[in-house]
Amino acid sequence: MMRLTFPRIMMVLTGALLLTYAFAVAPTTSAERRGGAVTAEAKAPRPRGPFPPAGKTFIGVMTDKGPHDFAPVDQFTAAAQHRPQVMLFSEGWASATFDRALFDRIRDRGMMPMLGWEPWDYRLDERARQQKLTAEEIDRVRSAQPSYRLSRIAGGEFDTYVRSWAEGIKSLGYPVAIRFAHEMNGYWYPWCELVNGNQPGDYVKAWRHVHDVFRAAGATNVTWVWSANVRYTELTPAISTYYPGDDYVDWVGVTGYYGKYDFAPYLSFDEVFKKTITEIRAFSRKPMVVTETGASDHIGRKAEWIKEAFETLPSYPFIIGLIWFEVNKELDWRIVSPPTVATAFARAVAAPRYQVTWSPDMLPRTKLEE
């Protein structure tokens, strides 16, 4: 056996240090001498993803409290026995300034934030509801807001405000989805082209302008979600007239509910969505998200609708997400009541297709072939 003398120990330690330098330190310092080839970006961990993975569909949630109070989200999670991966919340231009804490709270709960960014004063809507106006009267009040006419947005009058949000969202350093001015093909918001003095083509101009302000600010961590309402009548313009183009959109969305209908006691998921989905797929092949949906129990078939809806979703392989409207508003869309509804939802989302996780280092899927 070789004796470990002090000189021999020193030789071994010296050799180990030289090997460490050769394989770890030297390549980095050499690269830096060649002009700083090793950057902070290169040293950062590579993003995982995409989100959601191929063949999966994420489940999201929207509540009336948003990230200001997570109690409704916790109740939804308990009822669904499933943690949502996306949280949609709304902020209106008249009163909301960028607040990083709202986004971080959602992120810290393992959900991707989706901002429903609404260019209007929502307080007019709240006051109209408090006055117990009819639904038609409420729509007229909330949609007549000339200060937020689309031409003013496209003309740059809100650029300072828009830029402040772009810079704030850029500073987050993780992916955020923005659903800007949704349901533009309706008549109940001031950004709808059919009201508020808006003209044909104004919506696309406004969308592109807002998008370009974000791009100029370097806010590249935004997934842009264009979201139409399901079309109930052929008397409204084609939905394609509101589409700003694939270069300006990452996810296409659609909103639709099973509620009360005068012309049918019950409408299946396909009866609510299929016609509009087909129309959207004719002009865009972007990944699709059901950005708002819910079901009422007015004839006792809410649990049945949920079961059938989730069984139908796999027939639309391009739908990568569904966001449930967990709010008691006008009708009770929540899954927390009655227990049969919660059970139906929990069983539906237990399917392997809906087993998805999100983390801030994942890149949102923007192409179906990824």
Side-chain angles (χ1 to χ4, degrees):
M1 179 182 294
M2 183 176 66
R3 293 178 59 206
L4 293 177
T5 63
F6 180 79
R8 285 181 177 146
I9 292 173
M10 292 302 296
M11 288 175 62
V12 171
L13 290 174
T14 301
L17 289 171
L18 288 171
L19 286 171
T20 300
Y21 179 85
F23 289 99
V25 178
T28 301
T29 55
S30 297
E32 290 170 344
R33 288 193 192 103
R34 289 195 298 267
V38 178
T39 63
E41 182 179 353
K43 292 177 183 176
R46 283 190 162 193
R48 295 188 298 118
F51 172 78
K56 298 287 188 177
T57 301
F58 70 74
I59 301 300
V61 65
M62 182 179 187
T63 69
D64 56 345
K65 304 296 184 183
H68 300 280
D69 181 357
F70 282 96
V73 177
D74 293 338
Q75 294 164 5
F76 173 87
T77 302
Q81 301 176 38
H82 184 94
R83 185 176 298 279
Q85 301 87 39
V86 172
M87 183 175 183
L88 171 62
F89 70 104
S90 297
E91 295 291 337
W93 283 22
S95 57
T97 56
F98 176 78
D99 183 354
R100 180 187 181 112
L102 300 179
F103 295 87
D104 285 348
R105 288 172 197 160
I106 296 172
R107 176 207 59 188
D108 292 346
R109 284 174 165 257
M111 297 182 290
M112 178 181 177
M114 181 183 291
L115 169 65
W117 210 28
E118 304 175 350
W120 71 328
D121 187 347
Y122 73 90
R123 293 168 297 191
L124 298 180
D125 174 76
E126 289 186 342
R127 285 197 288 269
R129 294 179 187 279
Q130 291 169 359
Q131 294 169 4
K132 307 295 184 182
L133 301 182
T134 66
E136 292 78 12
E137 290 170 334
I138 291 173
D139 286 341
R140 283 197 296 270
V141 169
R142 60 192 278 168
S143 63
Q145 299 190 33
S147 296
Y148 295 95
R149 196 164 284 158
L150 289 170
S151 59
R152 300 190 67 182
I153 299 172
E157 294 187 40
F158 294 92
D159 279 6
T160 300
Y161 178 78
V162 172
R163 193 176 298 111
S164 70
W165 278 80
E167 292 169 351
I169 289 176
K170 175 186 176 182
S171 72
L172 294 174
Y174 54 83
V176 170
I178 294 181
R179 184 181 71 154
F180 171 65
H182 63 295
E183 300 172 19
M184 75 302 294
N185 58 319
Y187 53 83
W188 43 85
Y189 289 123
W191 57 81
C192 297
E193 282 192 359
L194 301 177
V195 296
N196 203 30
N198 297 319
Q199 301 298 316
D202 281 352
Y203 182 82
V204 167
K205 293 175 184 176
W207 176 286
R208 290 179 176 175
H209 182 79
V210 170
H211 182 281
D212 288 345
V213 172
F214 270 72
R215 179 180 289 170
T220 57
N221 56 323
V222 174
T223 299
W224 290 93
V225 185
W226 175 90
S227 178
N229 197 72
V230 292
R231 189 134 76 101
Y232 293 107
T233 173
E234 297 295 333
L235 299 177
T236 56
I239 299 177
S240 60
T241 62
Y242 306 108
Y243 190 62
D246 283 355
D247 290 342
Y248 289 85
V249 173
D250 298 303
W251 292 349
V252 293
V254 60
T255 293
Y257 290 82
Y258 160 54
K260 292 182 179 179
Y261 297 93
D262 294 334
F263 51 87
Y266 179 83
L267 293 178
S268 68
F269 181 90
D270 267 347
E271 288 172 315
V272 174
F273 285 101
K274 187 173 184 177
K275 188 174 182 178
T276 304
I277 289 174
T278 301
E279 183 176 354
I280 293 173
R281 290 290 288 171
F283 58 81
S284 178
R285 313 300 284 183
K286 288 287 186 175
M288 180 174 285
V289 176
V290 177
T291 44
E292 277 184 50
T293 195
S296 73
D297 207 28
H298 71 288
I299 58 171
R301 299 181 69 177
K302 185 173 184 175
E304 176 187 350
W305 191 90
I306 289 171
K307 177 178 181 294
E308 179 269 333
F310 281 97
E311 289 175 348
T312 303
L313 269 180
S315 65
Y316 299 99
F318 46 84
I319 293 181
I320 64 169
L322 179 145
I323 299 174
W324 192 266
F325 190 67
E326 187 68 3
V327 179
N328 185 358
K329 178 184 176 182
E330 297 160 351
L331 294 172
D332 191 349
W333 310 104
R334 299 171 302 168
I335 67 165
V336 296
S337 179
T340 53
V341 172
T343 299
F345 196 94
R347 287 175 177 169
V349 298
R353 182 178 189 87
Y354 310 109
Q355 302 309 303
V356 183
T357 58
W358 177 84
S359 65
D361 59 351
M362 299 180 78
L363 293 178
R365 177 185 297 280
T366 57
K367 296 181 180 179
L368 291 170
E369 62 269 20
E370 290 177 356

